[in-house]
Each structure stands twice: as C-alpha cells, then as structure tokens.
Amino acid sequence: MPDSSFVTVGLRFPRLAFVLCLLISTLTSPAARAQAGLERLEITTASGPHAFQVEIANNGASREKGLMFRRFMPAERGMLFEFERSEPVAFWMKNTYIPLDMVFIARDGTVTHVAANAEPLSEAIVPSGGPCIAVLELNGGEAAKIGLREGDKVRAAFFKP
C-alpha cells in the first residue's frame, strides 16, 4: 500500500482528502464560526424568534470601519456594535454600499429604535433617538421582513437581562 493512503472500512482515502474533510467539518462548526468572528444573535418579534450570525464591533477601529466598503452581506448576517456605556449615538452610511437597517438596543436587549433602509453612501446622520448600549446593522428590509418593532427583544452574549 502506498505511504500516502490509508484504509478505513475497506476503502482507500488519500491523506489529503481526509485532512480536507476534517478541516471543512471543523470550520463549519459553531465554535469555529465564533472564532472566525461570528456570534449567534436572536431577535424575538411577534412572528417568533429569528437567528442571525453577527460580526462584533467592540473597539474604536472596528466600530469606525463597520460595514464600510462592503458590496454584499449574506442573508441572516449582521454587525453588532457594542459600546461601553448607554448613551445616545449617531451613525451614517458614508462609504457603505449596501442599504442597512439599524436597530438600537438597550442594555437588557430591548429594541429602542429601528432606522429602516438607511441610504447607501449617505452622510446624513441616523440618530439613536435616545440612549442605547448597542446597534445592530442588518441588510436593508430585514427589520420589516421579520416584523421588528420597538420593545422586541434581542438575545446575545453581550446583553444582560
């Protein structure tokens, strides 16, 4: 038998194929997605729970860049901007090429304001309308699709009940 293969259950598999299968299964696990910068987030609306995978922006550099320069965001993905304290914030869409829904969220995960379909590349200010501890950016139209309203709940590791 050649050195570059091994036998399992009567079948020959090249070592490279085995390693690739192992790598793919590892990278698609929930733990690997979290290590790749994605965390699970769930929004509960009148229509039920809605799961998303979100990137976390929790420092000055990541919050400043946000979703700028991106031309596409997969469905059921987003970015969660986490802040150190609850206070009014304002966002804009400069250098952001995709329409976004901005969801402003209190410390306990309660949605305090939704700014739907922010205009790509706009420098118009999008205010939070009051204090918030986090802002969730989703693909434009997603908030309407899931029936998201003020008072709905967001669950993620960052929020404290």
Side-chain angles (χ1 to χ4, degrees):
M1 178 182 319
D3 207 29
S4 65
S5 340
F6 66 93
V7 177
T8 302
V9 193
L11 300 174
R12 264 186 184 204
F13 292 101
R15 286 185 186 173
L16 180 58
F18 175 76
V19 171
L20 286 174
C21 288
L22 183 62
L23 181 62
I24 289 168
S25 68
T26 302
L27 290 176
T28 57
S29 73
R33 283 195 305 271
Q35 288 175 347
L38 294 177
E39 288 188 16
R40 179 176 162 73
L41 177 143
E42 184 178 275
I43 303 172
T44 302
T45 69
S47 64
H50 305 276
F52 294 88
Q53 294 292 320
V54 297
E55 297 174 55
I56 303 299
N58 59 5
N59 60 48
S62 63
R63 286 190 293 249
E64 185 177 321
K65 183 175 181 189
L67 293 170
M68 286 182 169
F69 307 109
R70 301 211 192 161
R71 306 267 179 176
F72 173 78
M73 184 165 56
E76 299 174 357
R77 289 278 181 92
M79 180 173 278
L80 182 65
F81 294 78
E82 300 173 345
F83 297 100
E84 288 78 25
R85 60 186 170 277
S86 184
E87 62 186 3
V89 298
F91 278 57
W92 65 356
M93 295 288 289
K94 182 177 182 179
N95 298 321
T96 305
Y97 291 89
I98 53 178
L100 297 172
D101 291 341
M102 296 181 192
V103 182
F104 299 90
I105 309 165
R107 185 74 184 138
D108 67 353
T110 301
V111 174
T112 59
H113 179 64
V114 178
N117 282 304
E119 181 184 346
L121 304 174
S122 173
E123 292 186 24
I125 300 300
V126 180
S128 61
C132 67
I133 194 76
V135 179
L136 174 62
E137 291 184 340
L138 301 171
N139 280 311
E142 191 67 34
K145 178 180 164 188
I146 66 172
L148 184 61
R149 303 275 183 263
E150 291 179 11
D152 287 342
K153 286 294 196 172
V154 178
R155 290 187 340 174
F158 179 71
F159 299 109
K160 307 294 182 217

